[in-house]
Amino acid sequence: MSGPNTQVVLRLEGVGRMHGSGAAEVSALHEVDLTVHAGEFLAVMGPSGSGKSTLLALAGGLDRPTAGRVLVEGVPLDGLSRRRLADVRRRSVGYVFQDYNLIPALTAAENIALPRELDGASTRTARQEALAALAELGIGELADRFPDGMSGGQQQRVAIARALIGERRLVLADEPTGALDSATGEAVLGVLRARCDTGAAAVMVTHDPAHAAWADRVVFLRDGRITDQSVQQRIEVAR
Ligand code: ADP
Ligand code: MG
């Protein structure tokens, strides 16, 4: 395949992340090389403490590596000012936090619309997009509800809708199905899959092999290193 689907959306080059110093030094991630193309859905698996969340935070520019570099759509994040980094995060990256991170004072629709409004979309357009995203995730009726009035699973779906709004090319999701029953979890995975099929790249942390099966490729982390990769049958598109 040639054209947009061969585009590299995310690249990690020799990425490492150390925490602390001296005897208390922890290597959360070590010399990780990873390339994710447009159209690709990548799952990251590994035991607790293996560096999955660290990898995702570095990929989304929420944390900075202590070695190597991260490029999003070809832009090295290390060279960016805080302001430009915030722009890249808002325009290119949708991030689903493990603990949702919704703003309690805003309704579901307002939470979802906020990144679009910050990006210059009109309130009306942003609201329409938010309603469409809520409908896609099967929770259209929650538009005007506040996070406090929603179950964990509902908040999780709002967080996913917020990550998908706009034309973000990179969707990063840390255990996005943790609070969902299996049918709802599968539906959410279907939405992520569809987003990749229309040209986004997604990286999802999961501990559930059935959920990883939705991905094109699975990367296994142990002690901050990629130990193995498995390519699933569906990706045999010639790149
Ligand atoms: P996972 O998401 O796979 O459970 P993490 O990426 O959260 O793993 O953490 C990887 C390792 O880095 C763990 O040993 C964790 O204790 C350590 N770590 C993560 N964040 C910090 C931090 N802010 N300070 C010190 N150690 C950290
Ligand atoms: Mg984690």
Side-chain angles (χ1 to χ4, degrees):
M1 198 185 294
S2 63
N5 281 353
T6 58
Q7 219 179 317
V8 173
V9 175
L10 173 66
R11 192 169 175 85
L12 272 60
E13 298 177 345
V15 165
R17 178 64 166 105
M18 305 285 268
H19 289 289
S21 59
E25 199 170 74
V26 178
S27 177
L29 217 58
H30 190 76
E31 285 184 11
V32 166
D33 294 305
L34 188 65
T35 301
V36 189
H37 292 87
E40 197 175 15
F41 189 0
L42 178 79
V44 178
M45 302 187 79
S48 179
S50 59
K52 304 181 299 296
S53 294
T54 300
L55 186 155
L56 219 60
L58 292 168
L62 302 175
D63 186 17
R64 290 187 186 260
T66 47
R69 60 180 197 160
V70 176
L71 297 92
V72 173
E73 297 194 90
V75 178
L77 300 186
D78 51 303
L80 302 180
S81 66
R82 290 172 76 102
R83 191 195 173 115
R84 286 265 293 120
L85 181 62
D87 284 346
V88 169
R89 278 167 41 187
R90 203 169 57 237
R91 288 195 192 128
S92 300
V93 183
Y95 204 99
V96 184
F97 295 89
Q98 206 166 0
D99 52 3
Y100 326 135
N101 266 9
L102 299 176
I103 299 174
L106 300 181
T107 64
E110 288 166 351
N111 263 285
I112 298 166
L114 182 63
R116 296 290 288 143
E117 289 190 67
L118 290 173
D119 229 8
S122 72
T123 303
R124 184 153 172 266
T125 302
R127 168 138 182 120
Q128 281 168 351
E129 291 179 0
L131 295 180
L134 282 163
E136 191 181 5
L137 285 153
I139 47 171
E141 76 282 4
L142 299 181
D144 298 315
R145 192 112 37 106
F146 290 92
D148 275 356
M150 291 183 243
S151 71
Q154 290 170 336
Q155 290 184 47
Q156 188 154 45
R157 278 182 285 171
V158 172
I160 293 164
R162 181 178 57 181
L164 295 178
I165 195 172
E167 307 208 328
R168 279 77 160 299
R169 298 295 304 283
L170 179 60
V171 178
L172 304 171
D174 204 345
E175 307 244 8
T177 53
L180 305 177
D181 62 71
S182 62
T184 311
E186 295 280 312
V188 162
L189 290 160
V191 171
L192 289 174
R193 176 75 258 169
R195 190 54 66 102
C196 293
D197 292 342
T198 56
V203 181
M204 169 181 72
V205 171
T206 182
H207 59 261
D208 187 339
H211 290 172
W214 283 83
D216 298 306
R217 184 156 59 106
V218 185
V219 161
F220 297 91
L221 280 180
R222 179 173 287 275
D223 297 332
R225 295 166 193 265
I226 292 180
T227 56
D228 205 1
Q229 301 205 25
S230 84
V231 175
Q232 321 218 46
Q233 57 276 38
R234 53 168 302 145
I235 51 165
E236 290 313 305
V237 288
R239 289 206 162 102

